[in-house]
Amino acid sequence: MAKKKQKIPEKKASMTWVYAGIAVLVIAGLALYIYSGSTSDNNTNTSSGNDPKGKIPTVGKFGTMNKLSTYEPGKVKITEFLKFNCGHCNSLNSLMPALKKKYGDQLEITYKPMLWRSVPKDLPFKKSMEAYILAERMGKGEEMKDALFKAMFVENRDITSELQLGDIGKSVV
């Protein structure tokens, strides 16, 4: 009797290897694209106003920053630009004590009051910012900030009124 030869299936290339090869090529292409884009951006001279991509504003007053970095290893520094009539700023203000408690001396928070001069409804709040700055200079900035947010959002007081701001200031000092 003759034995039948068993057919051995041919080994086909696994699709996994094909997909892996394509993925490597795509990643290499993206890396090359990103790298070439970042070097051309770093070589542009933006200080003289040359901006080939048009991303830097050309209208307004600009100055150079000569201040050295205040980086300290292991420390997180937050600069919060706030408005006392801003609900988001008020919400963030209520979260800051928990952050301070959790991170202690590793966290440094600086508050910068601001207003949009182009938004007419913000202009009356300039006095509340001035009151905060004065209190900060006297070492009572944190208390005044909390008092202004409380007056605005809890007590519904008019913090654009100099009379109200005077009362708030007396409660802080």
Side-chain angles (χ1 to χ4, degrees):
M1 283 201 149
K3 285 186 177 180
K4 281 188 175 180
K5 284 188 177 180
Q6 290 183 342
K7 288 189 177 180
I8 299 173
E10 294 179 21
K11 291 186 180 180
K12 294 183 180 177
S14 172
M15 289 305 288
T16 305
W17 288 107
V18 173
Y19 293 139
I22 292 171
V24 168
L25 289 173
V26 168
I27 291 170
L30 284 173
L32 184 62
Y33 175 75
I34 291 170
Y35 176 73
S36 66
S38 66
T39 57
S40 64
D41 287 344
N42 290 338
N43 292 333
T44 58
N45 183 2
T46 56
S47 62
S48 65
N50 299 333
D51 183 23
K53 295 185 179 181
K55 292 182 181 177
I56 298 176
T58 56
V59 178
K61 295 181 182 179
F62 301 98
T64 57
M65 295 179 63
N66 296 325
K67 187 177 178 183
L68 297 174
S69 171
T70 60
Y71 169 76
E72 296 176 41
K75 194 160 199 165
V76 175
K77 296 184 178 190
I78 297 174
T79 300
E80 180 188 354
F81 295 90
L82 58 85
K83 298 187 323 180
F84 297 108
N85 62 323
C86 171
H88 301 292
C89 298
N90 180 44
S91 297
L92 185 59
N93 186 56
S94 64
L95 297 174
M96 288 301 183
L99 283 174
K100 287 179 186 176
K101 183 178 179 182
K102 182 175 181 179
Y103 294 104
D105 292 339
Q106 294 175 319
L107 180 66
E108 180 182 314
I109 304 169
T110 306
Y111 298 99
K112 301 287 184 184
M114 58 159 273
L115 63 94
W116 297 105
R117 290 182 297 181
S118 60
V119 178
K121 69 177 185 172
D122 276 359
L123 293 177
F125 291 95
K126 183 178 178 180
K127 292 290 182 190
S128 64
M129 291 175 199
E130 291 172 353
Y132 168 75
I133 292 168
L134 290 172
E136 186 180 40
R137 288 181 183 165
M138 295 188 308
K140 298 285 188 175
E142 190 73 24
E143 295 88 344
M144 183 60 140
K145 175 179 60 72
D146 292 339
L148 286 167
F149 279 128
K150 180 181 175 187
M152 178 72 185
F153 292 100
V154 177
E155 300 169 351
N156 294 320
R157 293 170 69 181
D158 178 17
I159 63 170
T160 63
S161 161
E162 290 183 23
L163 183 62
Q164 293 288 330
L165 288 172
D167 290 342
I168 294 167
K170 287 177 189 174
S171 70
V172 169
V173 179

